[in-house]
Structures are given as C-alpha cells and as structure tokens.
Amino acid sequence: MTEAYIYDALRTPRGKGKQGGGLNQATPIHLAATALRALRDRNDLDTSLVDDVVLGCVEPVAEQGADIARVAALYADYAVTAAGVTVSRFCASGLEACNQAAAQVMSGQSDLVVGGGVESMSRVPMFSSGGAWPTDPQVAAKTYFVPQGVSADLIATKWGFSRQDVDSYAVESQRRAKRAWDEGRFARSIVPVLDLNGLVMLDNDEYMRPETTLESLSTLKPSFEEQGRKYGFDSVILQRYPEVEAIEHVHHAGNSSGIVDGAAAILFGTKEMGDRLGLKPRARVRSFASIGSEPSIMLTGPSYAAEKALKRAGMGVGDIDLYELNEAFAAVVLRFMQVLDVPHDKMNVNGGAIAMGHPLGATGAMILGTLLDELERRNLSAGLATLCVGAGMGTATIIERV
C-alpha cells in the first residue's frame, strides 16, 4: 500500500457564527477559497497536479450547496483539471474528508489530494438541510432521537461527571487556548481572511473567552434542561437507558462547543509527488477508522474509533504522544479520557472547541493540523485526532511525523 504523506496544513481563524461576527460577511466559498489559495501559494503548488479536492461540509445547502469543494477550487483559481467533492459525516466531516483524501493516495489512485472542510454557521445555520432523523416521527421514535445536548447530559449522568467537573474542564480549555495564542502556537497555520479590497476581516480566533472562571460559569443555566424535561426528550432517552433514574443537566454555552465560521485545507500526497514538487513531508498517515455507535447516546463514538484506528496501526494508547478530540461537550472528552485512561496533559493541549468554537465541517481538518503543529513544536512522534458524530458515530486518524 502506498504511503500518504501530509505536506502542509492551514486554516482560517474561527469567527463568531452570528451577525456581526468577524467572518459573517465572508461567504462560505470565500472562506474555502482562502484556505485553498494559501495552501497553493505557500507551497508554490502546480494545481494541475492536484487530483481532487475533498471538503467536509455539514450543511451543504444554500451558499454551501452545489458541491462547494469543486466550486471553491475553481474560485480559488485551481486548474480546471482538479476535481472536487463535498462529504458529510456530521461533525466529523472535515476529518472524514482528510481520510478520504489520504485513502485516494494510499490506494494508488491519486498522487496529490487536498482534504479539508468549510462551514459558515452564521450564514447557513445548523439543521438547514433538514433530514428524516429529527423530523420524521417514525424515524425519530425508532432511533430514540434526542438533541445532542441531552445525550451529553446523559453521558455526564451515567458516568458520574458533575457540573463542577464539566465546568472545570471548560475553564482549562479557555486557559490553554489563551496560552497557545499568547505563545504563537497557531501562527504557522493561521491564514487571515481578507475582504475583496485586501483588508483583514479576521486574523484571530475571536470566540475565546479567557476571562472565564468557575464562578462565572456557575451563573449559567443548563441549556438542555427544558428540551429534556418540558419537551419529553429525557423520557425518550431513559427508555433506552432505564438504569439511569433521571438526567442531571450540566451542559450550557460555557462548557459546550461554540458556533463559529471557518475553513481548513491539508495537502496529502505520495513521496514521489512530494519529491517532484520539492516538498518535504511533515507526517504520514498511519491509520484511520470510522465506527457506528448507539445513536441516542450518540457521543461515545470517539473511544471506539480510536481503538479501531490503534488496532489497525498496531499501536496502543500509550504509543500516542498527543490526542485531539473535538470538544463538542465537556463530558464527551472526560468520558474519552476515562475509557482509554488518557491523561489530561496529552489531551487538547492547546484548548479546543469550547474555547475556540466548532465550525462543523471544518473542525476535523483544523484539529488534525493543530495536532501536527504541536507534535512538531514538542518534537514528538505520534498523534491521534478524533470526533464524536451525530446519530452515533466516531471518526479517528493517527498520524506520525517523518
């Protein structure tokens, strides 16, 4: 099997996903093209050699519809011969896109592929694409559908994570993200987003709230208690998990991922193509995996996906130097560390989506790039990136520096 190497990884900053956010005036095409152009320009890339552009996008409708990967590549002045495809695996879409890009290389069917993702949550809100899972009563009843926040609260209740536990994790995420920005740890990979006049729209992750404390979080009311109790979703999920007497609602805006806009792009290729282009590989893809898990609790998939990827790579948990897990909700990360016995000093060392936000289709590619940068900064070898996924799935990728 051909080795797939990572030659570069870039991302935009994350802008608040609402009116007035730093990237609200940037269309999704503009965000994606910004990352694609930067990847091309920084590597002096002949885009006629790019076989495909694979981008994750969770809501591929409206401004993000019509195969945004292909149209963004054209808009970014890539060669017309560079194909493009948009993929969606809910919150893992960006990592799934990278895995599919790597798979093309590993299978010998492509020599150079861009993987990445884009999401403008301020312009194309969550749930814009609809779907039977939450809206068709027959489908929802059969799968015990509940909103993700209720699932996160079930995880906290079932495995004993208190309000103080999840809030403490959130405060630490903010602290780590602030330190990472202060020390310039993201500087290599951040691409400022410019407007049509060349003026900077945003050059930093603006969602961060480094002033967050346990005291300030304690004033926030649980976000999903009303959904759970008033609208009956607690009763739905307790049918599936009758061993839990009642759901303790502990998640809120301060310990859950933020709604933001952003895009990312990663360059994958063979060793031969890298040599031809004069590019030095930064890492190789050891393995990747996706799994299905119980759909109502929904958010426990990362540990299973990580275990599957580790097995494929012939590695154990202790062989991984750093982990990145999307902070969809604090309890998701706490449960992952609990199951695999991963110490916190190896997990999300530069903060995560609680502090910086979760631009749905782009997040997976963003955290893979963050993982690579930090492995290099610390002169470490192996890293694992993973995300929980709606409807009960998990996706994971293991990379190793070369």
Side-chain angles (χ1 to χ4, degrees), residues 149-226:
V150 175
S151 298
D153 287 339
L154 171 63
I155 290 172
T157 303
K158 184 173 172 60
W159 283 289
F161 304 123
S162 67
R163 171 69 182 260
Q164 183 168 352
D165 291 334
V166 292
D167 282 357
S168 295
Y169 181 87
V171 170
E172 179 64 9
S173 180
Q174 295 283 355
R175 188 191 71 82
R176 292 182 178 192
K178 175 66 162 55
R179 180 188 62 193
W181 269 100
D182 289 347
E183 295 180 0
R185 296 187 184 184
F186 302 133
R188 177 174 184 176
S189 297
I190 294 290
V191 179
V193 179
L194 309 180
D195 66 16
L196 297 180
N197 296 313
L199 300 177
V200 174
M201 299 178 72
L202 189 68
D203 61 3
N204 64 285
D205 291 327
E206 69 171 345
Y207 184 80
M208 292 166 51
R209 292 157 293 181
E211 71 283 357
T212 299
T213 63
L214 277 175
E215 290 72 26
S216 64
L217 292 183
S218 69
T219 66
L220 300 178
K221 294 182 179 180
S223 296
F224 309 103
E225 186 171 22
E226 183 175 18

